[in-house]
């Protein structure tokens, strides 16, 4: 058999961490190595494969669309794209009325920043310390952390960084030239940091009072991840802009920037486009996702999330600092040895991902069931107890 790990290291730019594992297939909540050995997936590819692998509804819809039409430029109308946009804005509500489609979370944020400039005529932004919005230059300008930024500074426009959950800091940072405040409803990459109740609604109010827009980055939290269609829907917001990605196409690359009619009116033709944005294949993935993400699946996410949180909170280990999360977006903060824990879990054939410097992050597919979570919790306990305490 070919050594694919070697080939990938040789021919793919090595800008990713190397997990030391080759995976070639997936079914349900498992990924498989070339020998067919199954790994329990508690990360869904950083939150993208929300229905796991080979879901029949998604697969048959995509198969049929591949035979019909895969790509069609946005300058032509298309049944899949038009319906995906209509149904998506309907599900988001909160005054959002149109979608701009792209292919990744970072692109969705790029579009949001440009639309905020077009809508307000201002070019200053506010983002949060410890926040993550992507790695293309605009989104990177809003992303905090020297490991992502320092080689590329100075970055674009003028971004002021404030602590998450700090309304006074937001009030002080809002200026006459502020176009928008960009914020995640729960900081994901930053370590699963939850907002204080009312934070987002108050931030929206503050922004509105200063003529600035609020951009909610729901790339990681959206599409049911927290047990609601959008995490921010807990606060009954009237939205300005929201961005979606990851699970939007059910595992097919798709992202969206949602805007109000007032913002849509200020976006001139040709000011922002993408060759593949909203292509019929991705749009078919979005439609299948919207069909599958019904109230019963959202309630399953809430139930499984609460169950896993409880199981994790019952683990006793000196390494464990705290467990936090919402729905199936869960972080386990540890005092030390985070990477050893991830490696130990991988040895036990459980896949989790890092967040921040000290958090083991779990973003399981929504089709996960209690026996999988029991298996995961037992193995997490086993790995924690096998490591030396310090
Ligand atoms: C909140 C948030 N925004 C944006 C992004 C960037 O998405 P992508 O990697 O698809 O560009 C991510 C990715 O992790 C994210 O978590």
């Amino acid at each position: 058999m070919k050594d694919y790990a070697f080939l990938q290291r040789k021919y793919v730019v090595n800008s990713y961490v190397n997990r030391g594992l080759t995976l070639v297939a997936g079914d349900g909540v498992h990924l498989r190595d070339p020998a067919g050995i199954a790994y329990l997936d508690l990360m869904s590819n950083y939150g993208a494969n929300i229905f796991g692998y080979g879901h029949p509804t998604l697969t048959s819809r995509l198969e049929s669309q591949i035979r019909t039409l895969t790509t069609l430029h946005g300058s032509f109308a298309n049944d899949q794209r038009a319906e995906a946009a209509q149904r998506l804005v309907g599900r988001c509500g909160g005054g959002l009325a149109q979608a701009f489609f792209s292919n990744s979370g970072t692109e969705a944020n790029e579009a949001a920043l440009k639309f905020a400039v077009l809508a307000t005529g201002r070019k200053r932004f506010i983002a949060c310390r410890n926040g993550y919005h992507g790695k293309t230059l605009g989104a990177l300008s809003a992303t905090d952390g020297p490991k992502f930024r320092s080689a590329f500074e100075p970055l674009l426009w003028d971004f002021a960084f404030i602590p998450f959950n700090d309304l006074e800091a937001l009030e002080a940072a809002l200026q006459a030239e502020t176009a928008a405040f960009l914020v995640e409803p729960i900081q994901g990459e930053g370590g699963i940091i939850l907002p204080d109740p009312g934070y987002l609604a108050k931030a929206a109010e503050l922004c509105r009072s200063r003529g600035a827009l609020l951009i909610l980055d729901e790339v990681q939290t959206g599409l049911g991840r927290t047990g609601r269609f959008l995490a921010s829907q807990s606060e009954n917001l009237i939205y300005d802009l929201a961005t979606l990605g990851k699970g939007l196409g059910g595992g097919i690359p798709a992202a969206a920037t949602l805007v109000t009619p007032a913002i849509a009116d200020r976006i001139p033709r040709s000011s922002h486009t993408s060759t593949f944005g909203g292509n019929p294949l991705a749009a078919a993935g979005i439609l299948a996702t919207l069909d599958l993400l019904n109230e019963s699946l959202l309630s399953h996410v809430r139930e499984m999330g609460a169950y896993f949180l409880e199981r994790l909170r019952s683990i006793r280990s000196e390494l464990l600092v705290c467990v936090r999360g919402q729905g199936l977006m869960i972080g386990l903060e540890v005092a030390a040895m985070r990477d050893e824990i991830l490696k130990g879990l991988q040895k036990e054939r459980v896949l989790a991902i890092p967040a921040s410097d000290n958090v083991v992050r779990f973003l399981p597919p929504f089709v996960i069931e209690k026996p999988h979570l029991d298996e995961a919790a037992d193995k997490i306990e086993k790995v924690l107890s096998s490591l030396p305490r310090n």
Side-chain angles (χ1 to χ4, degrees):
M1 201 196 308
K2 280 190 186 170
D3 184 346
Y4 295 112
F6 169 78
L7 280 184
Q8 179 160 322
R9 271 199 315 280
K10 187 164 161 60
Y11 290 109
V12 177
V13 170
N14 287 294
S15 64
Y16 292 84
V17 164
N18 176 5
R19 294 279 303 232
L21 177 63
T22 301
L23 296 166
V24 294
D27 48 90
V29 295
H30 293 98
L31 284 160
R32 288 183 192 272
D33 73 7
I37 291 173
Y39 287 74
L40 178 60
D41 175 20
L42 296 188
M43 55 101 199
S44 62
N45 293 301
Y46 283 70
N49 288 81
I50 56 179
F51 308 117
Y53 307 94
H55 192 290
T57 307
L58 185 66
T59 307
S60 69
R61 189 125 195 188
L62 291 172
E63 270 175 0
S64 133
Q65 192 58 40
I66 279 178
R67 283 191 211 97
T68 309
L69 185 63
T70 54
T71 300
L72 181 78
H73 191 260
S75 51
F76 300 92
N78 174 259
D79 56 340
Q80 304 296 305
R81 177 159 51 229
E83 256 199 67
Q86 182 191 25
R87 289 190 49 200
L88 186 59
V89 296
R91 279 299 282 275
C92 290
L96 294 167
Q98 288 194 348
F100 173 85
F101 287 122
S102 52
N103 316 286
S104 63
T106 198
E107 283 176 78
N109 286 328
E110 295 288 331
L113 296 172
K114 285 177 74 175
F115 295 163
V117 169
L118 289 168
T120 61
R122 306 172 178 184
K123 279 193 186 158
R124 284 193 150 157
F125 288 89
I126 303 170
C128 283
R129 292 245 160 268
N130 199 43
Y132 186 86
H133 302 286
K135 291 196 179 108
T136 54
L137 284 173
L140 181 61
S141 305
T143 290
D144 191 29
K147 72 176 168 184
F148 303 129
R149 298 170 60 95
S150 57
F152 307 104
E153 284 174 331
L155 286 156
L156 303 182
W157 291 336
D158 182 355
F159 277 82
F161 286 90
I162 59 169
F164 186 63
N165 266 333
D166 188 337
L167 290 162
E168 276 176 23
L170 175 61
E171 191 162 17
L174 280 163
Q175 298 179 357
E177 278 306 302
T178 305
F181 172 43
L182 173 57
V183 64
E184 297 158 87
I186 295 173
Q187 290 191 320
E189 182 67 35
I192 317 291
I193 311 295
L194 298 160
D196 296 335
Y199 171 63
L200 298 173
K202 287 196 191 104
E205 229 174 85
L206 274 177
C207 288
R208 197 149 296 142
S209 72
R210 304 290 185 86
L213 303 172
L214 179 68
I215 305 171
L216 282 159
D217 179 344
E218 291 256 15
V219 168
Q220 189 164 156
T221 51
L223 280 308
R225 175 55 61 194
T226 67
R228 285 193 180 80
F229 188 73
L230 301 179
S232 53
Q233 280 167 339
S234 61
E235 300 210 5
N236 280 326
L237 293 176
I238 302 295
Y239 290 85
D240 296 315
L241 290 131
T243 57
L244 296 174
K246 294 199 187 277
L248 180 59
I252 293 293
T257 307
L258 292 129
V259 299
T260 59
I263 295 172
D265 280 350
R266 307 292 294 267
I267 303 171
R269 289 199 191 283
S270 303
S271 61
H272 200 65
T273 59
S274 159
T275 299
F276 285 114
N279 66 75
L281 182 63
I286 296 173
L287 285 169
T289 296
L290 294 174
D291 282 345
L292 288 170
L293 261 186
N294 53 26
E295 188 39 49
S296 123
L297 187 59
L298 291 176
S299 122
H300 182 72
V301 169
R302 293 193 292 271
E303 192 193 333
M304 291 304 106
Y307 182 74
F308 197 36
L309 267 181
E310 192 186 301
R311 283 290 325 250
L312 293 174
R313 282 183 177 143
S314 73
I315 296 175
R316 296 285 157 254
S317 161
E318 282 164 32
L319 281 172
L320 206 52
V321 175
C322 85
V323 182
R324 52 179 178 258
Q326 208 174 85
L328 286 172
M329 180 171 185
I330 292 175
L332 197 135
E333 185 177 326
V334 291
M337 310 196 83
R338 193 272 313 277
D339 293 345
E340 286 78 1
I341 295 167
L342 286 170
K343 277 185 201 143
L345 284 173
Q346 190 165 306
K347 259 200 185 143
E348 293 292 329
R349 298 178 185 157
V350 172
L351 299 174
I353 50 176
S356 185
D357 295 326
N358 56 355
V359 173
V360 177
R361 179 172 27 163
F362 302 107
L363 302 173
F366 301 171
V367 290
I368 202 134
E369 298 288 347
K370 279 185 184 170
H372 305 123
L373 297 172
D374 286 334
E375 177 193 339
D378 290 346
K379 288 182 168 170
I380 291 161
E381 192 158 19
K382 180 176 167 194
V383 168
L384 287 171
S385 66
S386 73
L387 291 167
R389 322 274 138 107
N390 41 355

